[in-house]
Amino acid sequence: MNSSSHYFSHGTVALFCGKGMDFRPKVGTLQASFNGKSEFLNLHVYPALTSIDSFRFQEHGCNVLKLSLKSRTSQSQALVVRSDHPQNSDFPKYYSKKEKKPFPVPIVDLRRAARERLKSRKGKPKTPVPPPKNGLLVKTLIPVAYDVFNARITLINNLKKLLKVVPVQACRFCNEIHVGPVGHPFKSCKGANANIRKGVHEWITNATVDDVFLPVEAFHLYDRLGRRIPHEERFSIPRIPAIVELCIQAGVDVAEYPTKRRRKPIIRISKSEFVDADESELPDTDTEGPKRPVLTEIPDSEIVAPSDEEETTLLAEETLRAWDQMRRGAKRLMKMYLVRVCGYCPEVHVGPSGHKAQNCGAFKHQQRNGQHGWQAAVLNDLIPPRYVWHVPDVNGPPMERELRNFYGQAPAVVEMCIQAGAAVPEEYRPTMRLDVGIPSTIKEAEMVV
């Protein structure tokens, strides 16, 4: 046997067919060759996928599985099975309340990068600090901030209209929701008296926009480079949606929430001390030009439902574009403007360092005196997607409890838009498991398993 490759055989093959191929060799032995030093047959290469997907490896942007068929009466023939996307994908990991969230970048990597920066700067003159660390705005991100702000308003207004035509069920005892005319039958309720009801939900139709698009609030900072918020001032400082606070710090001007705008870089005295530069010689800010328009939310009493199916489809497509634009723009802003999240609770703070309010009530908060464990936030901390079960056919039979492993999930906003007539986004197809056929009966499901 060659050292660079291995062979294994298992049983006989009478028929080989699949999507895009129809290969029927004579009865023989199936042999698959692979490189012993490659990642083939490594079950830990793609831990988020199924065991079948772990047998695949990347080649020219697609997953490829190479087999060698050797028949007793014919020469060996190569067979290549290609797949452009995985069969299904796992959802974001659920972290228990008794464990801390992992850092987006491990501490070891952060320390290594800091040491490399110190070595590269050794013996070189100090360079001026770029914005936004010097107090100025990143001018190229100001239009992005306005787009994110307006996309959020558009998303909220459209969701209010879609809620009038797309039914959304909410559980009476827990915070779980379901998009569809009938609630799902899965026993996942953890509310009051859940053990008596054996985890069965009690669905009612009173869901709101906050149930679909989860609100995440943060303290509004007049000066993002100012001192940290002490515990005694936690009630005197207003709290606004975190995504709005991020847009305000990135350049959006909102009359209700004033903020300090510097036009000259700060003068750094020490690591934690600075003074503002003299701006008396600069012209007034009123002569800089007109500001970009900012959208406003429509009151609930003025919401009008779409009149026909075509208008509903257009509204759903616009909602999906607003959802995608808001998330993509927020991800760009978070690369320059720091956002912090507590490692123990969902508290979010927009700014270079977290506040000092001792209001963390998560696991073992007594040992931390109620202080938050601040760390770098990711996009899902700022805009958490509310995952719900995907209904394959709204007008078909209801979901069955025994077929739970065959159903996929998607964010509630995406599921509402899909049921309203919008096309399925390509990035959500793996989690929704659209490429996996759902058995029509329980017997077929048992045969698949």
Side-chain angles (χ1 to χ4, degrees):
M1 181 179 297
N2 199 358
S3 60
S4 62
S5 62
H6 306 276
Y7 295 90
F8 67 89
S9 61
H10 182 72
T12 58
V13 178
L15 175 62
F16 232 56
C17 60
K19 184 177 181 180
M21 66 176 183
D22 189 3
F23 189 83
R24 304 187 182 186
K26 297 181 179 180
V27 177
T29 303
L30 170 64
Q31 294 183 350
S33 61
F34 61 93
N35 192 351
K37 297 182 180 180
S38 66
E39 296 179 346
F40 187 67
L41 290 181
N42 186 4
L43 297 180
H44 301 285
V45 175
Y46 306 107
L49 305 180
T50 58
S51 59
I52 298 178
D53 294 304
S54 300
F55 285 86
R56 301 169 180 170
F57 58 94
Q58 298 292 332
E59 180 178 327
H60 304 293
C62 62
N63 298 324
V64 181
L65 174 63
K66 291 186 177 181
L67 299 176
S68 177
L69 294 176
K70 182 176 292 185
S71 176
R72 297 177 181 177
T73 59
S74 61
Q75 298 180 356
S76 60
Q77 300 176 358
L79 176 64
V80 178
V81 183
R82 296 180 180 271
S83 177
D84 295 334
H85 47 78
Q87 178 182 356
N88 52 56
S89 177
D90 289 346
F91 317 121
K93 182 180 177 181
Y94 171 78
Y95 296 99
S96 174
K97 295 182 179 180
K98 296 184 179 181
E99 61 178 331
K100 190 177 183 294
K101 302 174 186 176
F103 290 95
V105 181
I107 294 294
V108 177
D109 296 341
L110 293 176
R111 292 176 178 174
R112 185 183 297 110
R115 289 194 297 266
E116 292 178 356
R117 286 196 301 268
L118 289 177
K119 290 181 181 179
S120 62
R121 295 176 183 175
K122 190 175 182 180
K124 296 181 180 180
K126 290 186 177 180
T127 58
V129 180
K133 294 182 180 180
N134 60 359
L136 303 181
L137 296 176
V138 183
K139 294 184 179 180
T140 57
L141 293 181
I142 295 179
V144 179
Y146 275 94
D147 292 340
V148 172
F149 187 89
N150 291 333
R152 174 185 172 273
I153 300 298
T154 303
L155 176 66
I156 293 177
N157 293 337
N158 291 357
L159 286 178
K160 291 180 180 180
K161 299 177 183 178
L162 287 178
L163 282 173
K164 294 184 176 296
V165 294
V166 179
V168 180
Q169 312 290 331
C171 182
R172 185 188 298 272
F173 299 98
C174 68
N175 60 353
E176 190 168 346
I177 63 174
H178 180 77
V179 181
V182 181
H184 67 74
F186 309 132
K187 299 180 179 181
S188 56
C189 183
K190 298 180 180 179
N193 300 326
N195 54 347
I196 299 177
R197 293 178 286 106
K198 297 182 179 180
V200 178
H201 295 277
E202 184 176 339
W203 300 108
I204 54 177
T205 310
N206 64 343
T208 61
V209 177
D210 290 341
D211 296 325
V212 179
F213 180 39
L214 295 178
V216 177
E217 293 186 345
F219 285 108
H220 170 61
L221 303 180
Y222 174 74
D223 184 6
R224 58 185 175 87
L225 296 183
R227 63 186 183 91
R228 299 173 65 182
I229 300 174
H231 177 71
E232 294 76 15
E233 299 180 5
R234 65 189 184 278
F235 297 121
S236 60
I237 299 178
R239 289 179 66 86
I240 61 177
I243 185 67
V244 175
E245 175 64 18
L246 178 62
C247 295
I248 291 175
Q249 294 189 15
V252 177
D253 293 328
V254 181
E256 295 83 3
Y257 306 107
T259 183
K260 186 175 183 179
R261 303 294 188 194
R262 295 180 175 88
R263 294 182 290 170
K264 278 189 176 181
I266 60 175
I267 302 174
R268 183 71 65 177
I269 300 176
S270 62
K271 186 176 180 181
S272 59
E273 187 178 0
F274 66 90
V275 293
D276 292 332
D278 185 15
E279 300 180 358
S280 59
E281 300 178 356
L282 298 178
D284 296 336
T285 57
D286 298 336
T287 61
E288 292 182 355
K291 300 293 185 179
R292 288 192 55 178
V294 176
L295 302 179
T296 57
E297 295 186 18
I298 303 176
D300 296 342
S301 58
E302 301 179 5
I303 295 296
V304 179
S307 57
D308 53 0
E309 186 177 353
E310 182 179 0
E311 185 179 353
T312 304
T313 303
L314 295 177
L315 182 64
E317 293 176 352
E318 183 185 4
T319 307
L320 269 183
R321 288 193 298 268
W323 168 260
D324 183 69
Q325 184 180 10
M326 182 186 63
R327 288 182 61 88
R328 290 180 182 273
K331 191 173 183 179
R332 288 186 58 187
L333 295 178
M334 291 177 65
K335 293 181 179 179
M336 298 299 296
Y337 296 90
L338 298 179
V339 180
R340 304 292 181 180
V341 65
C342 179
Y344 303 93
C345 71
E347 178 74 9
V348 172
H349 180 81
V350 183
S353 57
H355 59 77
K356 294 184 179 180
Q358 302 173 2
N359 53 3
C360 182
F363 183 64
K364 292 186 178 180
H365 63 91
Q366 300 89 345
Q367 300 180 3
R368 293 176 279 110
N369 196 20
Q371 296 181 357
H372 295 279
W374 297 113
Q375 63 186 46
V378 295
L379 182 61
N380 287 345
D381 295 325
L382 184 68
I383 309 175
R386 185 71 179 271
Y387 277 87
V388 295
W389 290 99
H390 170 61
V391 181
D393 187 5
V394 180
N395 300 323
M399 304 175 71
E400 298 186 22
R401 186 180 305 166
E402 292 79 5
L403 303 179
R404 176 171 179 169
N405 295 333
F406 295 92
Y407 297 113
Q409 289 188 356
V413 176
V414 179
E415 180 67 17
M416 285 184 62
C417 296
I418 292 174
Q419 293 189 16
V424 180
E426 194 66 27
E427 57 180 317
Y428 296 107
R429 292 183 66 91
T431 58
M432 298 173 68
R433 301 185 180 180
L434 298 180
D435 303 319
V436 181
I438 299 179
S440 58
T441 60
I442 301 177
K443 293 184 178 179
E444 294 183 5
E446 295 176 352
M447 293 177 61
V448 173
V449 176

